[in-house]
Amino acid sequence: MLVLYVVLAIIVLAILFNWLYIRFYSKKLAGALSNEDFQSTMRKAQIIDLRGTDAFDQSHILGARNIPYTQLKMSFAEMRPDLPVYLYADGQSICVRAARYLVNKKGFKNVKWLKKGYRDWEGKTKASKKSY
């Protein structure tokens, strides 16, 4: 029974640590944008969908390119560091991690993300023409 409590405590601490990590870097990078701000300034930015290819193919923000988070380190060269980069995924966690990587490791200056994620997106989308 003690082992179960230890494992449960480790899981709770891991979740807490992840939440604190995202909260800290979200404030430090100061890149969260509301739906309205994202929509009003996205025409001048590179819009990157960090979700998987299947999710992107089903529906995505109009004008977005798909670079899944798992492939970001191999595909960041497809982005121009001199232009703003707008990221989105299903939530904020992956976006903050990707923004931190682009800013701290690759020297991008202007990286923002959709605060509440794609699920709450209210702007124009493009659905796939594929039939599943």
Side-chain angles (χ1 to χ4, degrees):
M1 195 67 155
L2 181 63
V3 173
L4 182 64
Y5 288 132
V6 170
V7 170
L8 186 59
I10 290 171
I11 291 171
V12 169
L13 286 174
I15 292 170
L16 179 64
F17 176 76
N18 184 57
W19 180 80
L20 289 171
Y21 173 90
I22 297 305
R23 188 167 172 98
F24 173 76
Y25 279 107
S26 177
K27 288 188 179 209
K28 184 177 180 182
L29 295 170
L33 294 174
S34 66
N35 259 322
E36 296 79 23
D37 292 336
F38 195 97
Q39 285 185 60
S40 66
T41 58
M42 67 187 250
R43 295 194 200 311
K44 300 175 184 177
Q46 306 168 83
I47 305 168
I48 307 297
D49 186 329
L50 296 170
R51 300 174 303 147
T53 306
D54 291 341
F56 179 82
D57 287 344
Q58 287 180 4
S59 175
H60 58 271
I61 294 175
L62 192 63
R65 285 186 294 165
N66 184 227
I67 301 178
Y69 177 72
T70 56
Q71 299 173 8
L72 184 66
K73 291 182 180 180
M74 296 177 292
S75 303
F76 77 91
E78 297 176 20
M79 296 182 276
R80 292 180 49 188
D82 59 320
L83 293 176
V85 176
Y86 282 18
L87 306 170
Y88 72 91
D90 288 328
Q92 185 170 316
S93 178
I94 289 176
C95 293
V96 171
R97 290 176 189 273
R100 181 174 180 248
Y101 172 76
L102 292 171
V103 170
N104 292 345
K105 303 284 185 189
K106 298 301 171 188
F108 283 74
K109 302 289 183 218
N110 191 358
V111 180
K112 308 287 185 195
W113 61 87
L114 187 58
K115 184 175 185 176
K116 293 188 178 180
Y118 183 70
R119 287 183 221 144
D120 291 335
W121 177 248
E122 298 168 354
K124 294 182 180 180
T125 61
K126 182 175 182 181
S128 173
K129 293 182 182 178
K130 294 179 185 178
S131 59
Y132 292 97

